[in-house]
Amino acid sequence: MADRPRFFDDLAGVAGGAFSALTGLREELHAMVRARIDEALSSLDLVRRDELDVARELATRARMAQEDADARLARIEERLADLEKAVTAPTPQA
C-alpha cells in the first residue's frame, strides 16, 4: 500500500511538469504571434490614432478658413459689381 501514494505523487509530478511546459509553450507562442502581428502592422504604414485626430482637426480648420475666404470673396465681388454699376451708370444732365 505504500507504493500507491508514491505512484500518485509521481503522477502528480509528471502532470505538474507537463502543465508547466504547456504554460511556457503558450507564452512563447503568444510572443511569436504578437511579433508577427506587429511586423505585419508596421509594413502596412498605418497611422496612429492621435496623428489621425490632429490631421482631422487641421482639415476642419482649413475647411472653415476656406468657407470664410469664399464668403469674403463673394462680398468683395458684390461690392465690385456695385462700384462698376455706379461708374458705368449714365449721369443725368441738368
Side-chain angles (χ1 to χ4, degrees):
M1 208 155 185
D3 290 335
R4 208 160 217 201
R6 183 165 184 202
F7 171 74
F8 288 124
D9 288 342
D10 290 345
L11 187 60
V14 169
F19 182 73
S20 176
L22 288 176
T23 301
L25 182 62
R26 181 183 64 100
E27 290 173 1
E28 187 173 334
L29 182 63
H30 179 71
M32 288 173 52
V33 168
R34 179 170 285 291
R36 294 291 179 164
I37 290 173
D38 288 345
E39 182 180 309
L41 289 177
S42 67
S43 69
L44 292 177
D45 292 330
L46 298 176
V47 178
R48 290 192 340 244
R49 180 67 180 187
D50 58 341
E51 293 173 350
L52 177 65
D53 291 342
V54 168
R56 186 177 292 153
E57 180 65 27
L58 286 174
T60 301
R61 289 182 185 179
R63 189 178 318 110
M64 289 171 48
Q66 181 65 38
E67 289 171 357
D68 291 345
D70 288 344
R72 185 174 175 212
L73 178 60
R75 288 192 307 270
I76 290 171
E77 287 175 341
E78 185 179 325
R79 286 180 58 198
L80 179 61
D82 291 343
L83 289 173
E84 286 176 345
K85 285 179 189 175
V87 169
T88 59
T91 56
Q93 305 232 351

